[in-house]
Amino acid sequence: MKSALLIAVMAIVTILLRFLPFLLFRKQTPKYVSYLGRVLPPAIIGMLVIYCLKDVSPSLSPFGLPELIAAACVAGMQIWKRSALISILSGTVVYMALVQMVF
């Protein structure tokens, strides 16, 4: 019973947070919100790339090759298909295959 109540409260709060901007900015979106909508997605992706590559050591074997190959795969798929989902999934599959079977 406690778990169901907790899940219900979390769901309601999540839904309210999702709809709050639409309720607050019914007529016109403020310029700063539009600006954040443009600059935050690339900034977040950049932070994720830095976080993923922070422990790579180019002086120790395998010298960051799995990460470099997977990152190249992601970039290539993004240029080719223009789909973040396909790019991320393909890079993840390539990285896991390299780590498990090659390096």
Side-chain angles (χ1 to χ4, degrees):
M1 184 63 177
K2 287 183 183 181
S3 296
L5 182 62
L6 182 63
I7 291 171
V9 169
M10 288 189 300
I12 290 169
V13 169
T14 301
I15 290 169
L16 285 175
L17 288 174
R18 302 280 181 192
F19 287 121
L20 189 62
F22 296 105
L23 296 173
L24 290 176
F25 308 124
R26 286 179 193 236
K27 295 180 182 177
Q28 185 178 0
T29 306
K31 289 183 181 182
Y32 67 90
V33 174
S34 298
Y35 171 75
L36 289 175
R38 276 193 327 272
V39 298
L40 279 181
I44 292 169
I45 295 295
M47 292 289 288
L48 288 172
V49 169
I50 291 168
Y51 178 77
C52 289
L53 299 176
K54 71 179 174 51
D55 293 328
V56 173
S57 178
S59 61
L60 297 174
S61 180
F63 310 108
L65 286 176
E67 292 85 356
L68 183 64
I69 294 168
C73 174
V74 170
M77 290 299 289
Q78 184 62 28
I79 290 168
W80 180 38
K81 290 290 187 178
R82 296 276 184 214
S83 170
L85 181 62
I86 293 172
S87 301
I88 292 168
L89 285 176
S90 64
T92 302
V93 168
V94 167
Y95 176 75
M96 292 309 294
L98 288 171
V99 170
Q100 297 296 321
M101 294 184 244
V102 179
F103 293 102

